[in-house]
Amino acid sequence: MPAPESPSPTPEHEVSVVAVVVAYNRRDLLKEALDALALQSHRLAGVVVVDNRSDDDSEVVASEHPIGAEVLSLSRNTGGAGGFAAGIAHALSVFDPECVWLMDDDTIPTPTALEELIRAREEYPEPVALLGSRVVWHDGRDHPMNTPRRRPGATGDEIKDSVAVGAVPVRSSSFVSMLVDTRAVRFHGLPVADYFIWNDDFEFSCRLLRRGIGLYVPTSVVEHRTKVFGSTDVDPGERFYFEVRNKVWMLTRSPSLSPEERILYTGSSLRRWGRTFAGSSNREVLRKAGLKGLRDGIFRAPRPTVRVLDGAGVPTDEVHDIESGAGRA
């Protein structure tokens, strides 16, 4: 009588991940980013590139790249905030993945960057809302623009569980490699498109992590190829408007912070603005931009993301489906 055959091993579940890359006028870096995504040791279920009305041929680079990306070409520049809102909505509509991996076009992930994020996510004993990578500059130094701090008030168990998977519990994360569980997106909603640039990832990640779990995973490494090495204190010129307006919006209108955190972040924001002003080479520009941002932050509210993206070439039904279900998923 022949020996019974051994049962075939049950294949391990492979987490489905779609990368969302927001591109604007950096076609060479975009190509490098897509090349790096193609080399990931954890296979991607898809790639969505949002071209924010680039003046160069970024759209062509994305469309012709062998990775086979879904290219969402916008009719106007919606900033990083609008680009990620549109890209996430499109990724969920077309692919319905378990996670989306968010990055700008100047983010170059190392081959195991995604694998390490997935490993930490799967090994952690509870569901994780989002995970972030270690972000370095091209010379290997940790990039001060994207280096998170340990979550204030993290419990002993949270720290212990994080250390066990080679991670650190965090309260916020950056769009320079952020892996997000799509269940958290469906519950909390998309990035606020009206932020345009700056503090959009801070608000979005804080919203997801007010009661959710976020991890910083140092073994997942990406390069952030900014032109200069520095933090967000670097003299921003007229863009200081967005820093002030968006921070006021976040401190006064977003559900991302507790009352105690609003007080703490208000103090830290004022100190940061003071450092920025002190180091500026053109304080009059900063003064005017800051006052305008303060005025608009106080007297205006962010418009709904569906309305901001209307007419930009975004399938607004995709955005509406997520925003209308937020809080009820």
Side-chain angles (χ1 to χ4, degrees):
M1 182 176 179
E5 292 183 5
S6 300
S8 302
T10 302
E12 291 186 11
H13 168 68
E14 183 172 82
V15 178
S16 60
V17 179
V18 171
V20 176
V21 183
V22 175
Y24 181 67
N25 284 349
R26 292 186 290 215
R27 49 104 58 207
D28 293 336
L29 283 173
L30 174 61
K31 181 182 182 305
E32 290 188 61
L34 295 176
D35 288 345
L37 289 176
L39 295 174
Q40 289 302 299
S41 54
H42 182 99
R43 182 176 58 88
L44 286 162
V47 176
V48 173
V49 176
V50 181
D51 179 48
N52 243 331
R53 192 64 170 132
S54 297
D55 297 321
D56 62 10
D57 62 344
S58 292
E59 179 186 355
V60 175
V61 169
S63 298
E64 295 182 350
H65 195 279
I67 201 169
E70 280 267 332
V71 181
L72 193 58
S73 299
L74 305 189
S75 59
R76 67 173 184 267
N77 182 7
T78 64
F84 281 114
I88 294 169
H90 195 60
L92 268 60
S93 176
V94 173
F95 296 98
D96 192 24
E98 293 170 74
C99 296
V100 284
W101 191 21
L102 313 177
M103 65 191 70
D104 292 310
D105 54 3
D106 61 352
T107 303
I108 315 298
T110 58
T112 59
L114 179 57
E115 179 185 343
E116 285 298 303
L117 294 175
I118 294 294
R119 177 197 57 75
R121 176 183 185 269
E122 295 299 283
E123 292 178 0
Y124 197 82
E126 296 181 55
V128 180
L130 66 81
L131 305 94
S133 300
R134 178 187 172 210
V135 181
V136 300
W137 205 37
H138 63 75
D139 62 0
R141 287 182 290 171
D142 285 352
H143 207 306
M145 191 180 293
N146 313 109
T147 302
R149 299 181 181 90
R150 191 172 79 179
R151 183 181 187 118
T155 67
D157 285 342
E158 288 173 338
I159 295 170
K160 181 186 69 175
D161 290 341
S162 300
V163 169
V165 302
V168 178
V170 293
R171 182 67 177 87
S172 64
S173 191
S174 161
F175 280 154
V176 182
S177 183
M178 181 193 295
L179 184 72
V180 184
D181 190 307
T182 55
R183 291 171 298 182
V185 176
R186 294 189 185 279
F187 184 84
H188 293 284
L190 298 164
V192 181
D194 216 10
Y195 275 49
F196 193 72
I197 57 169
W198 289 5
N199 293 306
D200 49 332
D201 48 2
F202 185 40
E203 191 278 336
F204 178 67
S205 60
C206 280
R207 190 169 6 123
L208 269 59
L209 297 183
R210 181 167 176 181
R211 296 179 180 85
I213 295 171
L215 299 177
Y216 165 65
V217 185
T219 52
S220 170
V221 181
V222 302
E223 290 185 29
H224 191 193
R225 294 192 179 167
T226 57
K227 292 181 180 179
V228 296
F229 179 81
S231 70
T232 52
D233 290 328
V234 176
D235 196 350
E238 292 182 351
R239 289 186 167 195
F240 191 52
Y241 166 80
F242 295 105
E243 158 63 19
V244 175
R245 185 199 65 176
N246 295 352
K247 193 64 66 66
V248 172
W249 276 350
M250 181 175 175
L251 292 169
T252 61
R253 302 176 187 274
S254 169
S256 58
L257 301 175
S258 69
E260 297 80 10
E261 287 175 325
R262 292 179 197 276
I263 296 171
L264 291 173
Y265 281 119
T266 297
S268 65
S269 296
L270 291 173
R271 289 192 297 272
R272 179 183 294 272
W273 295 346
R275 289 196 302 268
T276 301
F277 191 80
S280 174
S281 59
N282 194 336
R283 294 179 181 176
E284 184 59 19
V285 169
L286 280 194
R287 186 186 70 81
K288 290 181 179 178
L291 287 175
K292 183 181 177 185
L294 186 64
R295 180 198 68 195
D296 288 353
I298 293 172
F299 294 108
R300 278 186 49 209
R303 295 169 295 166
T305 289
V306 173
R307 181 143 62 96
V308 173
L309 296 179
D310 187 32
V314 176
T316 51
D317 58 325
E318 297 176 352
V319 178
H320 182 268
D321 285 348
I322 296 174
E323 292 293 272
S324 62
R328 299 191 299 275

